[in-house]
mmCIF file with all atom_site columns, all heavy atoms in Angstrom:
data_model
loop_
_atom_site.group_PDB
_atom_site.id
_atom_site.type_symbol
_atom_site.label_atom_id
_atom_site.label_alt_id
_atom_site.label_comp_id
_atom_site.label_asym_id
_atom_site.label_entity_id
_atom_site.label_seq_id
_atom_site.pdbx_PDB_ins_code
_atom_site.Cartn_x
_atom_site.Cartn_y
_atom_site.Cartn_z
_atom_site.occupancy
_atom_site.B_iso_or_equiv
_atom_site.pdbx_formal_charge
_atom_site.auth_seq_id
_atom_site.auth_comp_id
_atom_site.auth_asym_id
_atom_site.auth_atom_id
_atom_site.pdbx_PDB_model_num
ATOM 1  N N   . SER U 1 274 ? -9.380  -22.639 -14.507 1.00 98.00 ? 274 SER U N   1
ATOM 2  C CA  . SER U 1 274 ? -8.518  -21.581 -13.930 1.00 98.00 ? 274 SER U CA  1
ATOM 3  C C   . SER U 1 274 ? -9.372  -20.523 -13.223 1.00 98.00 ? 274 SER U C   1
ATOM 4  O O   . SER U 1 274 ? -10.559 -20.556 -13.329 1.00 98.00 ? 274 SER U O   1
ATOM 5  C CB  . SER U 1 274 ? -7.697  -20.891 -15.032 1.00 98.00 ? 274 SER U CB  1
ATOM 6  O OG  . SER U 1 274 ? -6.813  -21.859 -15.678 1.00 98.00 ? 274 SER U OG  1
ATOM 7  N N   . ALA U 1 275 ? -8.696  -19.627 -12.470 1.00 98.00 ? 275 ALA U N   1
ATOM 8  C CA  . ALA U 1 275 ? -9.381  -18.526 -11.823 1.00 98.00 ? 275 ALA U CA  1
ATOM 9  C C   . ALA U 1 275 ? -9.016  -17.169 -12.477 1.00 98.00 ? 275 ALA U C   1
ATOM 10 O O   . ALA U 1 275 ? -9.359  -16.174 -11.890 1.00 98.00 ? 275 ALA U O   1
ATOM 11 C CB  . ALA U 1 275 ? -9.106  -18.547 -10.312 1.00 98.00 ? 275 ALA U CB  1
ATOM 12 N N   . CYS U 1 276 ? -8.345  -17.228 -13.635 1.00 98.00 ? 276 CYS U N   1
ATOM 13 C CA  . CYS U 1 276 ? -8.063  -16.011 -14.378 1.00 98.00 ? 276 CYS U CA  1
ATOM 14 C C   . CYS U 1 276 ? -7.996  -16.298 -15.839 1.00 98.00 ? 276 CYS U C   1
ATOM 15 O O   . CYS U 1 276 ? -7.681  -17.389 -16.234 1.00 98.00 ? 276 CYS U O   1
ATOM 16 C CB  . CYS U 1 276 ? -6.817  -15.326 -13.845 1.00 98.00 ? 276 CYS U CB  1
ATOM 17 S SG  . CYS U 1 276 ? -5.259  -16.188 -14.143 1.00 98.00 ? 276 CYS U SG  1
ATOM 18 N N   . LEU U 1 277 ? -8.216  -15.259 -16.629 1.00 98.00 ? 277 LEU U N   1
ATOM 19 C CA  . LEU U 1 277 ? -8.127  -15.379 -18.079 1.00 98.00 ? 277 LEU U CA  1
ATOM 20 C C   . LEU U 1 277 ? -6.710  -15.656 -18.521 1.00 98.00 ? 277 LEU U C   1
ATOM 21 O O   . LEU U 1 277 ? -6.432  -16.446 -19.427 1.00 98.00 ? 277 LEU U O   1
ATOM 22 C CB  . LEU U 1 277 ? -8.635  -14.109 -18.786 1.00 98.00 ? 277 LEU U CB  1
ATOM 23 C CG  . LEU U 1 277 ? -10.125 -13.832 -18.594 1.00 98.00 ? 277 LEU U CG  1
ATOM 24 C CD1 . LEU U 1 277 ? -10.462 -12.449 -19.215 1.00 98.00 ? 277 LEU U CD1 1
ATOM 25 C CD2 . LEU U 1 277 ? -10.955 -14.930 -19.240 1.00 98.00 ? 277 LEU U CD2 1
ATOM 26 N N   . ALA U 1 278 ? -5.710  -14.970 -17.872 1.00 97.00 ? 278 ALA U N   1
ATOM 27 C CA  . ALA U 1 278 ? -4.340  -15.093 -18.321 1.00 97.00 ? 278 ALA U CA  1
ATOM 28 C C   . ALA U 1 278 ? -3.883  -16.516 -18.316 1.00 97.00 ? 278 ALA U C   1
ATOM 29 O O   . ALA U 1 278 ? -3.134  -16.993 -19.225 1.00 97.00 ? 278 ALA U O   1
ATOM 30 C CB  . ALA U 1 278 ? -3.440  -14.225 -17.489 1.00 97.00 ? 278 ALA U CB  1
ATOM 31 N N   . GLU U 1 279 ? -4.277  -17.276 -17.295 1.00 98.00 ? 279 GLU U N   1
ATOM 32 C CA  . GLU U 1 279 ? -3.847  -18.687 -17.143 1.00 98.00 ? 279 GLU U CA  1
ATOM 33 C C   . GLU U 1 279 ? -4.479  -19.516 -18.309 1.00 98.00 ? 279 GLU U C   1
ATOM 34 O O   . GLU U 1 279 ? -3.842  -20.339 -18.915 1.00 98.00 ? 279 GLU U O   1
ATOM 35 C CB  . GLU U 1 279 ? -4.163  -19.235 -15.806 1.00 98.00 ? 279 GLU U CB  1
ATOM 36 C CG  . GLU U 1 279 ? -3.650  -20.638 -15.631 1.00 98.00 ? 279 GLU U CG  1
ATOM 37 C CD  . GLU U 1 279 ? -3.860  -21.139 -14.171 1.00 98.00 ? 279 GLU U CD  1
ATOM 38 O OE1 . GLU U 1 279 ? -3.326  -20.440 -13.250 1.00 98.00 ? 279 GLU U OE1 1
ATOM 39 O OE2 . GLU U 1 279 ? -4.532  -22.159 -14.000 1.00 98.00 ? 279 GLU U OE2 1
ATOM 40 N N   . ARG U 1 280 ? -5.785  -19.304 -18.524 1.00 98.00 ? 280 ARG U N   1
ATOM 41 C CA  . ARG U 1 280 ? -6.456  -20.076 -19.547 1.00 98.00 ? 280 ARG U CA  1
ATOM 42 C C   . ARG U 1 280 ? -5.846  -19.738 -20.891 1.00 98.00 ? 280 ARG U C   1
ATOM 43 O O   . ARG U 1 280 ? -5.599  -20.626 -21.765 1.00 98.00 ? 280 ARG U O   1
ATOM 44 C CB  . ARG U 1 280 ? -7.978  -19.811 -19.595 1.00 98.00 ? 280 ARG U CB  1
ATOM 45 C CG  . ARG U 1 280 ? -8.591  -20.579 -20.802 1.00 98.00 ? 280 ARG U CG  1
ATOM 46 C CD  . ARG U 1 280 ? -10.082 -20.284 -20.896 1.00 98.00 ? 280 ARG U CD  1
ATOM 47 N NE  . ARG U 1 280 ? -10.865 -21.071 -19.935 1.00 98.00 ? 280 ARG U NE  1
ATOM 48 C CZ  . ARG U 1 280 ? -12.137 -21.147 -19.987 1.00 98.00 ? 280 ARG U CZ  1
ATOM 49 N NH1 . ARG U 1 280 ? -12.898 -20.536 -20.890 1.00 98.00 ? 280 ARG U NH1 1
ATOM 50 N NH2 . ARG U 1 280 ? -12.838 -21.839 -19.050 1.00 98.00 ? 280 ARG U NH2 1
ATOM 51 N N   . ARG U 1 281 ? -5.516  -18.475 -21.141 1.00 98.00 ? 281 ARG U N   1
ATOM 52 C CA  . ARG U 1 281 ? -4.896  -18.048 -22.401 1.00 98.00 ? 281 ARG U CA  1
ATOM 53 C C   . ARG U 1 281 ? -3.538  -18.665 -22.554 1.00 98.00 ? 281 ARG U C   1
ATOM 54 O O   . ARG U 1 281 ? -3.129  -19.109 -23.637 1.00 98.00 ? 281 ARG U O   1
ATOM 55 C CB  . ARG U 1 281 ? -4.871  -16.551 -22.494 1.00 98.00 ? 281 ARG U CB  1
ATOM 56 C CG  . ARG U 1 281 ? -6.208  -15.874 -22.707 1.00 98.00 ? 281 ARG U CG  1
ATOM 57 C CD  . ARG U 1 281 ? -6.158  -14.365 -22.471 1.00 98.00 ? 281 ARG U CD  1
ATOM 58 N NE  . ARG U 1 281 ? -5.125  -13.736 -23.324 1.00 98.00 ? 281 ARG U NE  1
ATOM 59 C CZ  . ARG U 1 281 ? -5.320  -13.311 -24.573 1.00 98.00 ? 281 ARG U CZ  1
ATOM 60 N NH1 . ARG U 1 281 ? -6.524  -13.387 -25.110 1.00 98.00 ? 281 ARG U NH1 1
ATOM 61 N NH2 . ARG U 1 281 ? -4.322  -12.756 -25.265 1.00 98.00 ? 281 ARG U NH2 1
ATOM 62 N N   . ALA U 1 282 ? -2.838  -18.753 -21.412 1.00 97.00 ? 282 ALA U N   1
ATOM 63 C CA  . ALA U 1 282 ? -1.468  -19.359 -21.457 1.00 97.00 ? 282 ALA U CA  1
ATOM 64 C C   . ALA U 1 282 ? -1.599  -20.865 -21.858 1.00 97.00 ? 282 ALA U C   1
ATOM 65 O O   . ALA U 1 282 ? -0.818  -21.396 -22.633 1.00 97.00 ? 282 ALA U O   1
ATOM 66 C CB  . ALA U 1 282 ? -0.753  -19.194 -20.191 1.00 97.00 ? 282 ALA U CB  1
ATOM 67 N N   . LEU U 1 283 ? -2.571  -21.514 -21.290 1.00 97.00 ? 283 LEU U N   1
ATOM 68 C CA  . LEU U 1 283 ? -2.790  -22.968 -21.571 1.00 97.00 ? 283 LEU U CA  1
ATOM 69 C C   . LEU U 1 283 ? -3.190  -23.086 -23.061 1.00 97.00 ? 283 LEU U C   1
ATOM 70 O O   . LEU U 1 283 ? -2.767  -24.080 -23.709 1.00 97.00 ? 283 LEU U O   1
ATOM 71 C CB  . LEU U 1 283 ? -3.874  -23.504 -20.676 1.00 97.00 ? 283 LEU U CB  1
ATOM 72 C CG  . LEU U 1 283 ? -3.481  -23.700 -19.218 1.00 97.00 ? 283 LEU U CG  1
ATOM 73 C CD1 . LEU U 1 283 ? -4.677  -23.936 -18.303 1.00 97.00 ? 283 LEU U CD1 1
ATOM 74 C CD2 . LEU U 1 283 ? -2.454  -24.867 -19.064 1.00 97.00 ? 283 LEU U CD2 1
ATOM 75 N N   . GLU U 1 284 ? -3.923  -22.199 -23.608 1.00 98.00 ? 284 GLU U N   1
ATOM 76 C CA  . GLU U 1 284 ? -4.233  -22.209 -25.036 1.00 98.00 ? 284 GLU U CA  1
ATOM 77 C C   . GLU U 1 284 ? -3.020  -22.031 -25.913 1.00 98.00 ? 284 GLU U C   1
ATOM 78 O O   . GLU U 1 284 ? -2.871  -22.663 -26.920 1.00 98.00 ? 284 GLU U O   1
ATOM 79 C CB  . GLU U 1 284 ? -5.289  -21.118 -25.383 1.00 98.00 ? 284 GLU U CB  1
ATOM 80 C CG  . GLU U 1 284 ? -6.715  -21.416 -24.740 1.00 98.00 ? 284 GLU U CG  1
ATOM 81 C CD  . GLU U 1 284 ? -7.669  -20.273 -24.776 1.00 98.00 ? 284 GLU U CD  1
ATOM 82 O OE1 . GLU U 1 284 ? -7.215  -19.119 -25.014 1.00 98.00 ? 284 GLU U OE1 1
ATOM 83 O OE2 . GLU U 1 284 ? -8.860  -20.458 -24.572 1.00 98.00 ? 284 GLU U OE2 1
#
Side-chain angles (χ1 to χ4, degrees):
Chain U
S274 299
C276 68
L277 295 174
E279 183 175 303
R280 178 182 282 190
R281 289 169 54 89
L283 290 165
E284 290 168 345

